[in-house]
Amino acid sequence: MSSETSHTSNRGRIATWVGGIVAAIIAGVAVAVIVNWINDPDGPPPSAVITDPATGAYVDRVARVAGTSSDIDDPTRVMLIVYWPDGRRYYPAAEPLDFEANGDWSGRASVGQGGDSGVGFDLILVLNDDRAQRQLMDYLEPVVAGGSAPGITDLPEGAQRLDTTSVTRL
């Protein structure tokens, strides 16, 4: 066998070997994509975080709150809720959050009352299902109309907590 024939034969074997590796990699990626789709056909779960204020921050009575989100199908179902641990009450923010196309969001929430300087509160971000959204909106209707805000003792069952940050009133 001549050396030229030997080189051609080796090139053919290498090409076959490289082609087999490439085919195996492509098949592996395809399997991973299919398995991921089977395990999670609806895509990644919704997520959102509070980026401002940070945990431990001091906030005014009306606090500006901001954050980021991803994979939120219906931003109107995301609500900010103020929790008063001492009174064991939840106070949904009356104003809806403002969502940007890139997932950034912001809003305001009333934190405590006039004499609550130095009191700790939790700011909770929730994603509501239909029932939880309806319950919280029913609570807010008279509050927005000028009624009192007695708070609620428990979050509705379908209110999924996305994030929480603890703050202290100035």
Side-chain angles (χ1 to χ4, degrees):
M1 185 192 274
S2 75
S3 68
E4 189 175 308
T5 306
S6 174
H7 287 295
T8 304
S9 173
N10 285 339
R11 275 190 229 132
R13 283 189 210 128
I14 291 171
T16 301
W17 182 74
V18 169
I21 290 174
V22 170
I25 291 170
I26 291 171
V29 170
V31 167
V33 168
I34 291 169
V35 166
N36 188 42
W37 180 79
I38 289 170
N39 289 334
D40 192 10
D42 297 327
S47 67
V49 295
I50 299 168
T51 57
D52 185 38
T55 292
Y58 285 84
V59 298
D60 291 321
R61 183 166 186 271
V62 176
R64 182 187 172 285
V65 184
T68 61
S69 68
S70 64
D71 303 303
I72 303 287
D73 291 333
D74 185 357
T76 64
R77 295 191 176 277
V78 179
M79 278 182 124
L80 186 60
I81 297 180
V82 177
Y83 177 65
W84 177 35
D86 293 346
R88 297 184 180 155
R89 308 294 274 179
Y90 295 89
Y91 298 90
E95 294 182 27
L97 298 174
D98 180 29
F99 276 79
E100 302 294 328
N102 67 358
D104 290 349
W105 60 267
S106 63
R108 297 182 322 165
S110 294
V111 181
Q113 298 180 3
D116 286 336
S117 180
V119 175
F121 293 87
D122 292 334
L123 304 177
I124 304 169
L125 197 63
V126 298
L127 176 63
N128 298 316
D129 66 10
D130 289 338
R131 186 171 161 213
Q133 184 77 2
R134 190 171 37 259
Q135 287 175 324
L136 292 171
M137 295 309 288
D138 287 348
Y139 165 82
L140 282 172
E141 190 175 322
V143 172
V144 172
S148 66
I152 53 178
T153 56
D154 293 304
L155 289 178
E157 190 175 310
Q160 173 191 350
R161 289 176 187 243
L162 298 172
D163 197 21
T164 302
T165 190
S166 299
V167 297
T168 302
R169 256 292 303 286
L170 282 173

